Amino acid sequence: CAIACGLAMSGHLGDLSLDQLQALDQLKNQLGTEYATDEATLLRFLRARSFKVEAAKTQYINSCKWRKENDVDNILNRPPPLDKDIMEIISLGYHKHDRQGRPIYVELTGKIDANKLMQLPSDGIIDRHIWHNEKQFLRAKELSKQFGKNIETTTQIHDMTGLNFSHRKCLSIFKLVSKIDQDNFPERMGKVIFVNVPWLFPILWKIVSPLLDPGTREKFVVLGSHEIHKLLDYVEPENLPEIFGGICSCPGGCMHIVPGHLDQTNPEINLIHANIKAGKALIQEITCSKGQTVYWNYIAASTDIKFGVRWQPEETSQTETVVPIQHATIESTEGHYVTNKNGKLTIEFNNFTSSWLSKGVKYRIGIDKNDT
């Protein structure tokens, strides 16, 4: 009835409308025997191209040529590219499956040493990513047999604890692998779940998200440090490592951990130490262009210190309050401001309430362009 009544269908095997069935048959006929493959694969390319047969055909043929040129079909017969180097930089694991049967990959992304990663050859990193994809899809095939259903997609869990602006250096690699994935591995992403996201995450996400098509962005889930329990909505506790809030503790560990990666991140690393005399202020003025992001992080020695941020557009003498002057906190505090025009951002710490005692503050201020 669903097909006859014209109801929306998912485009997966067993859930196809008449138009989708016709598109599948048309694609199979046009490809002939030279590019023959299973229907589930063809449907992935059709879904990625909204069942436009010519576009799906072009993408599929190009992907077949790419796989042959790069010998992708045999990549799992070779050792994982850059394995020794990667295992010294990234804490990762291929761990069981989620509630839908999809294979899970876990990673302590925020603890990756971006400088060391970017010293590796980019070709090797890309080969490693392709190897990783093929490993996950092989696991999906094995889980399909285990659960008696077609499992095509995967789930990733990325712990962003420790994320900092040095990770922005990795965006060039992200661009390359994202294009490879969208061109050659369409409709393979099930869920990508970021947990323990810090204040910096929205800034980097603003740079990354335009690289992804809208359908892909919908598959991303972002959870703060107080929301990690929501991972259990996606993964049974017995299949989730303890460090992610589950109860699984595999013999030998659920994942490979780089020494030091489970240590708590010190919020005071790279902060500038300043003493503010009684009745004085520490003023930092940042000249900005349109589209830039200014970010700050501070820890005050006393709540007597007051903190505030104001913005002055270039064409006016009027200032706008970004953060009202208020008592500073003795906990690590972060924030950011995205400029919508040229102007000047002023960040102020003052010790006006003290008559004779100097007070200390540790802070960091950075500026980042929105042009990546």
Side-chain angles (χ1 to χ4, degrees):
C1 178
I3 293 179
C5 296
L7 298 180
M9 313 296 283
S10 69
H12 290 263
L13 281 174
D15 192 31
L16 299 172
S17 69
L18 286 175
D19 287 344
Q20 291 169 343
L21 279 168
Q22 290 172 359
L24 176 60
D25 288 339
Q26 187 180 347
L27 179 58
K28 287 164 64 177
N29 291 333
Q30 289 189 17
L31 290 173
T33 57
E34 183 181 1
Y35 294 103
T37 187
D38 59 276
E39 291 185 344
T41 297
L42 295 181
L43 284 170
R44 286 194 294 106
F45 283 84
L46 282 166
R47 290 196 302 274
R49 290 293 169 257
S50 303
F51 280 83
K52 296 176 181 176
V53 175
E54 197 58 38
K57 174 186 172 183
T58 299
Q59 182 180 0
Y60 176 68
I61 290 175
N62 288 340
S63 180
C64 288
K65 293 177 179 177
W66 172 84
R67 292 183 69 88
K68 186 175 181 179
E69 290 168 0
N70 293 278
D71 197 24
V72 174
D73 290 343
N74 294 311
I75 197 169
L76 292 181
N77 297 327
R78 302 189 289 272
L82 300 178
D83 199 47
K84 181 178 182 297
D85 297 305
I86 292 294
M87 290 303 186
E88 291 176 352
I89 298 172
I90 304 177
S91 296
L92 58 86
Y94 297 89
H95 191 267
K96 298 189 175 181
H97 58 81
D98 69 6
R99 291 183 182 272
Q100 295 189 32
R102 298 178 294 212
I104 299 174
Y105 170 77
V106 292
E107 182 180 284
L108 304 187
T109 308
K111 294 300 182 74
I112 293 173
D113 187 323
N115 293 317
K116 288 183 178 179
L117 183 64
M118 295 307 293
Q119 289 173 5
L120 301 181
S122 59
D123 288 350
I125 296 175
I126 291 169
D127 287 345
R128 174 69 183 217
H129 177 75
I130 297 168
W131 180 92
H132 157 85
N133 280 352
E134 292 294 306
K135 178 179 176 67
Q136 281 290 75
F137 305 149
L138 177 61
R139 294 179 68 212
K141 185 180 294 186
E142 293 167 349
L143 288 166
S144 296
K145 296 176 182 177
Q146 178 179 335
F147 292 112
K149 63 179 183 179
N150 185 40
I151 297 171
E152 300 179 281
T153 57
T154 68
T155 290
Q156 304 173 34
I157 302 175
H158 295 268
D159 188 335
M160 307 307 288
T161 302
L163 184 73
N164 58 71
F165 251 95
S166 73
H167 290 102
R168 186 178 182 274
K169 300 174 184 177
C170 302
L171 293 179
S172 59
I173 294 294
F174 181 85
K175 285 182 178 181
L176 293 174
V177 299
S178 294
K179 187 172 190 323
I180 288 173
D181 287 352
Q182 293 189 53
D183 289 349
N184 302 288
F185 303 107
E187 297 291 307
R188 284 296 203 174
M189 183 183 294
K191 287 291 179 187
V192 178
I193 307 172
F194 298 105
V195 300
N196 294 321
V197 296
W199 64 276
L200 182 58
F201 182 85
I203 300 175
L204 295 183
W205 180 246
K206 181 187 67 175
I207 300 171
V208 167
S209 57
L211 304 176
L212 307 171
D213 62 60
T216 300
R217 288 197 294 268
E218 291 175 358
K219 298 173 183 177
F220 284 70
V221 178
V222 179
L223 302 176
S225 57
H226 301 298
E227 298 178 299
I228 195 168
H229 63 279
K230 293 182 180 179
L231 272 176
L232 297 177
D233 294 341
Y234 304 94
V235 187
E236 291 97 339
E238 60 270 22
N239 290 335
L240 189 64
E242 288 180 335
I243 63 171
F244 291 102
I247 59 174
C248 184
S249 54
C250 297
C254 294
M255 59 187 296
H256 162 75
I257 302 291
V258 175
H261 274 196
L262 291 184
D263 296 343
Q264 292 296 315
T265 301
N266 182 357
E268 298 191 25
I269 291 176
N270 297 326
L271 296 186
I272 297 171
H273 294 219
N275 239 7
I276 306 175
K277 294 181 179 180
K280 301 294 183 180
L282 170 65
I283 306 290
Q284 295 289 335
E285 295 183 340
I286 305 100
T287 301
C288 308
S289 300
K290 180 181 179 180
Q292 291 187 306
T293 300
V294 180
Y295 58 95
W296 57 86
N297 172 215
Y298 77 84
I299 303 172
S302 167
T303 56
D304 289 341
I305 293 286
K306 288 190 174 181
F307 170 79
V309 182
R310 56 188 179 269
W311 167 250
Q312 182 181 340
E314 189 176 63
E315 72 275 7
T316 178
S317 59
Q318 298 291 323
T319 60
E320 305 168 10
T321 299
V322 176
V323 178
I325 292 290
Q326 57 190 305
H327 290 285
T329 68
I330 56 175
E331 303 291 335
S332 180
T333 301
E334 306 91 5
H336 69 277
Y337 180 74
V338 182
T339 62
N340 57 10
K341 56 186 71 175
N342 296 343
K344 179 176 66 179
L345 193 75
T346 301
I347 297 177
E348 175 180 334
F349 298 94
N350 73 57
N351 191 18
F352 295 156
T353 59
S354 181
S355 300
W356 57 284
L357 284 178
S358 297
K359 302 288 171 60
V361 65
K362 302 170 186 176
Y363 70 95
R364 174 177 53 210
I365 299 169
I367 187 167
D368 188 62
K369 295 181 180 179
N370 185 24
D371 59 358
T372 300

